[in-house]
């Protein structure tokens, strides 16, 4: 059922890529398990083509999606492969889309390859799309969304302000030359 040739190449002695299960680190005095070492480089995660994930994915590293994800994704680098799809929000430093994405994308850098199909609002700093990529939605630069939120906050009515105090100052300002 499983291809043993692939597994044998990983298990070969002296192979730098060999995968050997290691026991979790246990503190000798207390017998408690130690916390994972966060000083190591981040791990790369893979959602294989035979997987469908229902729920949110969060990683400090990179995620390659070859299957289907129904939920939000938060990571450093996200790659949605050709036959893969993500239905949910994406929050990442960089997103490369080869497959399908539906939901809001918030990333510093967004790259859509020619097989990409995206139905969403894309908030970005740097955006590129190959010829043939399909976008149904909106593109917004991060600066535009920040200035729009500032404009929204300044136009909100101030219900706690006393208008009688501000009226004389505006009248005095209109009388000035």
């Amino acid at each position: 059922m499983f291809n043993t040739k692939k597994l044998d190449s990983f298990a070969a002695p002296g192979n730098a890529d060999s995968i050997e299960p290691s026991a979790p680190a246990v503190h000798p005095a207390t017998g408690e398990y130690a916390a994972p070492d966060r000083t190591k480089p981040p791990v790369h995660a893979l959602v294989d083509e035979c997987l469908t994930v229902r729920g949110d994915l969060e990683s400090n590293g990179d995620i390659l999606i070859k299957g289907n994800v129904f939920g939000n994704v938060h990571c450093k680098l996200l790659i949605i492969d050709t036959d893969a799809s993500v239905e949910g929000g994406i929050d990442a430093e960089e997103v490369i889309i080869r497959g399908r994405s539906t939901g809001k994308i918030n990333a510093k850098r967004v790259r859509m390859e020619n097989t990409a199909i995206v139905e969403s609002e894309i908030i970005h700093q740097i955006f590129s799309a190959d010829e043939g990529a399909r976008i149904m939605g909106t593109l917004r630069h991060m600066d535009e969304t920040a200035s729009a939120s500032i404009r929204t906050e300044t136009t909100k009515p101030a219900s706690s302000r006393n208008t009688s105090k501000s009226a004389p100052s505006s009248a005095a300002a209109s009388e000035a030359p």
Side-chain angles (χ1 to χ4, degrees):
M1 183 169 150
F2 295 105
N3 184 356
T4 57
K5 288 184 181 181
K6 253 185 183 178
L7 296 174
D8 291 341
S9 67
F10 283 114
N15 186 352
D17 294 331
S18 67
I19 299 174
E20 297 177 17
S22 59
V26 178
H27 191 276
T30 63
E32 294 180 11
Y33 291 103
D37 185 5
R38 302 282 183 206
T39 60
K40 293 181 181 179
V43 179
H44 307 290
L46 169 69
V47 175
D48 203 358
E49 57 266 359
C50 62
L51 289 175
T52 297
V53 177
R54 297 185 192 284
D56 297 345
L57 297 176
E58 292 186 30
S59 173
N60 291 333
D62 306 336
I63 299 176
L64 170 61
I65 297 177
K66 292 181 169 244
N68 300 307
V69 175
F70 297 95
N72 300 319
V73 180
H74 178 79
C75 62
K76 189 171 186 177
L77 167 67
L78 174 66
I79 300 173
I80 303 171
D81 214 7
T82 306
D83 294 325
S85 69
V86 173
E87 289 187 28
I90 296 171
D91 187 16
E93 288 184 28
E94 183 173 0
V95 178
I96 299 172
I97 304 171
R98 299 176 185 136
R100 178 180 285 272
S101 174
T102 305
K104 186 176 181 178
I105 299 173
N106 189 359
K108 289 181 183 176
R109 180 181 300 243
V110 177
R111 180 173 156 212
M112 293 177 53
E113 295 189 359
N114 62 349
T115 54
I117 301 171
V118 176
E119 299 176 31
S120 73
E121 174 185 11
I122 302 173
I123 300 170
H124 62 87
Q125 279 185 349
I126 300 170
F127 177 83
S128 68
D130 291 347
E131 186 176 337
R134 293 185 272 172
I135 307 168
M136 289 143 299
T138 58
L139 293 173
R140 292 199 176 117
H141 195 271
M142 284 185 176
D143 292 341
E144 292 174 14
T145 57
S147 62
S149 66
I150 291 170
R151 281 193 303 253
T152 305
E153 289 176 11
T154 57
T155 58
K156 288 181 183 177
S159 59
S160 62
R161 262 196 265 169
N162 186 352
T163 54
S164 63
K165 289 183 182 177
S166 61
S169 63
S170 63
S174 64
E175 292 177 21

